[in-house]
Amino acid sequence: MNGTGSEGLDRSRKLGTGGITAAIFWADGNLSVNVEGTAPGMDFKLPSLGSVTQSGEKVVWEQLTSCEESVGQDGAQSMTLTLENARSSLRLTQRIEVYPDHPFLRISGSILNTGKKETVLDGCEILSLRPICSLPLALFHVEQFSAKYARDFFRPVTARLIDGRAPHEIRMGSFPSMYWGPTSCAWFAMLSDKPGWFDEPPEDGNGLVCGIEFNGKSRVTAGADNGKAWAVSSIDELRHRLEPGAVFELPAAFIGRFHGGWDEAGYATQRFAEAYVHPPMPDGRYPWAQYNSWAYGQDICEEQQLRAIDRCGELGLELAVLDLGWARNIGDWRPDPVKFPHGLRPLVERARSYGMRFGVHVALAQCSLEAPIAKEHPDWLVHREVDYYGAAPLCLGNEPCREWLTEALSRLVEEEGIDYIVQDGEDMVKRCLCENHTHGYGDSNYSNSQYGLDIVLSGLRERHPGLVIENCEDGGCMMTYKMVRLYHTSITVDNIDAYSTRQGVFGASYPFSLRYSVRYMQDSPSRYTLYSSIFGGPLILMHRVTDWTETEMEDTRKAVELYKRLREITRQGKVLHLLRPDSNIPGGGWGWDAIEAVTEDRGRGVMMVYRARGGENEKTIYPRGLERARVYRAVSSDGEEFGSFTGAGLEENGLTLRLGEFGAQAVFFEGR
């Protein structure tokens, strides 16, 4: 690299591991990266790292002051570059990382105001891929939860990028569940297509995947010009006031290569994320079988919930959670002294006597008008209109509010012995127009995320490393890669029917590891409803378990045992999306659907098959992902033997199953 302030540096620098080579260039005030390599997948270019606008003008990085390379203990290579604008009033620190065993590149950075005056950053590209490759090209993403927009939840979307057509726009980040429009998981994939494709998705080609690490609202725009595809991710509604000495954190993103279809895109992403993005699994059993008190509503008390925990112990559950109603008020995070006169410790101790953990529901960014903090600091509220169970929204982008919440939750964890927090609420990244808060006017989208919610969560985890945190934003409405960096798991659909539950797992398991597909089971226990909830992340029973019959207890206990058997395959396995549940009509859905998981060594697999209302009585399902030459014994969860088959035979000839309406079957494949 050369230019002003960069004497002694080469024209370019390279990082190389994991089957890719990243060539970093700085020229004409622009920092760029070209990625190619031997790992199967698509080459790509990032032409403008650190791309921000200052009062409407793009910042040009005219001085390169340092370039440092390092290698981590795990073999990850990184390069950190420091650049300044012409007036030396802004300093960009840009970090680029590549990883052994994973053909992925991650970008992150920050901008420091080194000048003497306040400035305003009003535009930021999280990443720009331009151009990507020659057409034809297919774009793939997955919508997130919405209670209003569409009944088919977590719908996978495939589109073609075509010259001359309007670009595709994908909204990402935290949205309220009542938002009347499509929003998507903060992940997308692109795959080289075949000419003439219209209906069937591509199954085999070179591709790339991208994850966006930002909880605020952002959007990806993707299109094609002059025979080349492109995609740009940018922050919505940015107007960040940057005082002298203050830092603006650039949202991170990662891009990786893969070869295959959309299942392979998801699997490559998940293996990278489990290694370098997600918090570690809480223990070797995770994801857990859990209980949540919501079926009792807010009418809960110590004696009742002690009996419920006893029932959970009989079922073999591993975590008990008190939902809304345990605290004095939303925003007053102390146990209700009438409902829980001895605090929560008696419930914690009862849960631990069964080898279970104990948690509580917390609406982080909400506050009742009756809570002490709302009366002491009414100015911390976004407004005084209640929008969540009688509570108004708090602005976490306001520094004193954020600090108070972190202290209040930390005290709760310490005093009551809490192991687990379910974070809930309606749109976790609030839109705040208050002018007396520490965030700038018009900047709450960025500040309430990067310097609000994210700091609360990271602060809690630093103080309490053993605390497990679940994202439950009134449904899976904040499915981002910043979310999965901060949380151990996430809801997909909210407490909802069996068919919708399966839709959530099916769609979310493209971008995210299965542990980020919590199932809140509300239907009465039956084979069909229980089997609809046992494939995926944490299984959460949301029932009045103290009212269950012995038959319901026994059926559920067996399903919990089956769930624990399944997770031995699914916790690190590859998910194969066989037959999507895409007809969520009233009355419980329509037809057949199927999903599969195979262990990393392809020695074992499990296929879950369902029939909702209608459809034929028999269906041939085609398992995939097993070793083609290996022989597998196929047996149902009930012990029914289907025979022995090669992996190739199963993929080509399938397995024919017979199910009645609202029927379910689990088929295990054991390699010989």
Side-chain angles (χ1 to χ4, degrees), residues 109 128 229 262 354 401 469 597:
S128 174
W262 302 135
Y354 291 105
C401 178
I469 307 176

Side-chain angles (χ1 to χ4, degrees), residues 306-358:
L306 285 172
R307 288 190 290 112
I309 291 172
D310 289 338
R311 284 285 197 155
C312 294
E314 294 177 41
L315 292 168
L317 302 187
E318 295 153 314
L319 170 70
V321 173
L322 287 187
D323 209 292
L324 185 65
W326 65 269
R328 301 182 185 202
N329 271 304
I330 294 176
D332 185 358
W333 301 118
R334 298 173 294 170
D336 185 310
V338 176
K339 297 177 181 179
F340 301 98
H342 305 100
L344 301 181
R345 281 285 180 178
L347 287 87
V348 172
E349 293 168 4
R350 184 69 62 89
R352 289 178 180 167
S353 73
Y354 291 105
M356 300 166 60
R357 303 191 191 201
F358 184 83

Side-chain angles (χ1 to χ4, degrees), residues 443-475:
D443 190 54
S444 63
N445 176 50
Y446 175 83
S447 293
N448 264 301
S449 173
Q450 204 82 10
Y451 296 126
L453 174 68
D454 298 356
I455 290 180
V456 171
L457 292 166
S458 58
L460 272 176
R461 287 185 50 199
E462 287 173 8
R463 296 187 187 197
H464 308 283
L467 181 68
V468 179
I469 307 176
E470 173 194 333
N471 171 46
C472 181
E473 192 201 340
D474 207 15

Side-chain angles (χ1 to χ4, degrees), residues 187-260:
W187 173 92
F188 65 92
M190 292 184 172
L191 192 60
S192 54
D193 204 352
K194 50 183 180 284
W197 172 86
F198 286 100
D199 298 315
E200 293 300 319
E203 297 178 353
D204 190 61
N206 289 323
L208 65 83
V209 293
C210 178
I212 306 297
E213 298 183 31
F214 182 57
N215 281 331
K217 295 164 183 63
S218 66
R219 66 190 65 207
V220 168
T221 306
D225 297 315
N226 302 316
K228 298 284 188 178
W230 54 268
V232 176
S233 169
S234 56
I235 298 176
D236 284 3
E237 295 184 9
L238 179 67
R239 188 171 175 77
H240 191 74
R241 190 175 62 219
L242 197 63
E243 298 176 353
V247 173
F248 174 84
E249 298 289 341
L250 295 164
F254 60 80
I255 312 97
R257 297 158 62 104
F258 74 95
H259 182 87

